[in-house]
Amino acid sequence: MKNYVRSTLKRGLKTYLFILPFALIGGYSVGVYTMEHSSPEIIESALSQLGSYQALYALTTVQSVLYSLICWIIGYFINDRLGLVRSFRFSKELLKKICPAIFILGILFASDYFIMGRLIPEVAADYEKGISVAYFICSLTYGGVIEEILLRWFFMSVIGLILVFLFQRKTSKDQLPDWIFITANVIAALVFSAGHLPATVMFFGHITPLILFRCFLLNGSFALFFGRWFRKYGIQYAMLGHFGVHLIAKILLLWVL
């Protein structure tokens, strides 16, 4: 048992080295983006407590590294039990299969401006403010990588492990039924979407069926693809998908706006 824990921990820490640069850059860019979109009162309160912008950025960076590391290591043990730990590398065959899908999903994500922007004036107005450098970097590094650790590698896997303990405790990890992972994927996507509701209400000041539909469509439907790729190919493909969708969507919007 000790040897298993030691070897698994070692493998988890070794693979986290690939994640660390994204956690550092993502955490810092989150701090910058937060300050760009905070009210003067919130900025003043933060500076009074931390003393400077750099102290705030250091705090968000450390937070990003700590909880991504914790979730990665815990998730590594869980996913080892579920048979979801795979070699952290990419294959040309899978890239040829997934990249076209990522491109299409990126276009669909960007279409929010053209479709929902026409139906909800606040959406169009927000897009037309432009895309800052901090937001661009944050969406790729934090959104594309760290969120996949939190939502897929950790949360989705926890749900899967709970379902295994409830219904498939004696089943080996090589024979776990697909419904376990499909259910966990759907639950994770719904929770991720619901987690955006407070920010959505704060942004619009109210909630309507259309705004609610948009919230779950943007945050939930794409998450189902990332969860499926995680299950079938490995977490790195979910990260690539999330990263790529944001990249393509932002490039298209920068071109249009």
Side-chain angles (χ1 to χ4, degrees):
M1 184 63 181
K2 288 183 179 180
N3 290 335
Y4 166 75
V5 172
R6 188 182 299 109
S7 64
T8 305
L9 181 60
K10 183 178 179 180
R11 285 184 283 125
L13 290 172
K14 184 178 180 180
T15 51
Y16 183 78
L17 294 177
F18 294 100
I19 309 299
L20 182 58
F22 295 94
L24 292 169
I25 298 171
Y28 189 89
S29 61
V30 164
V32 176
Y33 174 72
T34 300
M35 288 296 97
E36 288 179 347
H37 292 77
S38 296
S39 65
E41 293 79 13
I42 293 177
I43 294 175
E44 182 179 354
S45 175
L47 291 177
S48 66
Q49 296 180 43
L50 298 172
S52 68
Y53 283 101
Q54 292 304 319
L56 173 70
Y57 302 155
L59 178 62
T60 57
T61 302
V62 171
Q63 287 177 335
S64 176
V65 171
L66 284 179
Y67 56 65
S68 64
L69 174 60
I70 292 171
C71 288
W72 181 262
I73 295 302
I74 295 174
Y76 206 94
F77 282 93
I78 295 173
N79 287 301
D80 188 61
R81 166 64 180 90
L82 298 177
L84 296 180
V85 174
R86 295 178 175 86
S87 177
F88 201 82
R89 58 184 179 83
F90 297 97
S91 72
K92 292 182 179 179
E93 292 75 16
L94 287 179
L95 289 176
K96 291 179 181 178
K97 182 177 182 180
I98 287 179
C99 285
I102 293 174
F103 184 76
I104 294 172
L105 291 176
I107 295 174
L108 292 175
F109 195 83
S111 69
D112 178 59
Y113 168 69
F114 303 99
I115 299 175
M116 289 299 177
R118 291 176 177 269
L119 301 174
I120 309 174
E122 296 94 332
V123 171
D126 186 55
Y127 276 113
E128 288 165 2
K129 292 178 183 177
I131 299 173
S132 68
V133 174
Y135 177 54
F136 187 87
I137 295 174
C138 173
S139 64
L140 298 181
T141 55
Y142 191 89
V145 177
I146 305 306
E147 282 187 357
E148 284 305 309
I149 294 175
L150 304 180
L151 270 299
R152 242 67 62 185
W153 184 254
F154 178 73
F155 185 73
M156 176 180 163
S157 300
V158 167
I159 298 300
L161 186 65
I162 292 172
L163 293 174
V164 167
F165 279 161
L166 290 176
F167 304 106
Q168 302 286 333
R169 183 175 298 187
K170 296 182 180 180
T171 305
S172 68
K173 63 182 180 181
D174 298 325
Q175 297 178 333
L176 291 174
D178 286 339
W179 74 263
I180 292 285
F181 303 102
I182 294 173
T183 303
N185 189 19
V186 171
I187 292 174
L190 290 174
V191 170
F192 181 63
S193 301
H196 285 77
L197 285 176
T200 300
V201 173
M202 287 182 63
F203 175 78
F204 289 103
H206 62 284
I207 197 77
T208 66
L210 183 59
I211 291 174
L212 184 65
F213 171 75
R214 175 181 179 266
C215 179
F216 277 81
L217 178 66
L218 281 181
N219 297 297
S221 58
F222 294 90
L224 293 175
F225 284 93
F226 305 148
R228 175 175 171 79
W229 291 341
F230 163 43
R231 162 73 174 107
K232 291 191 67 176
Y233 310 124
I235 189 62
Q236 68 273 25
Y237 290 96
M239 292 175 177
L240 176 66
H242 202 151
F243 184 100
V245 167
H246 276 300
L247 178 63
I248 293 167
K250 298 297 184 297
I251 290 175
L252 289 174
L253 290 170
L254 284 170
W255 179 56
V256 171
L257 299 174

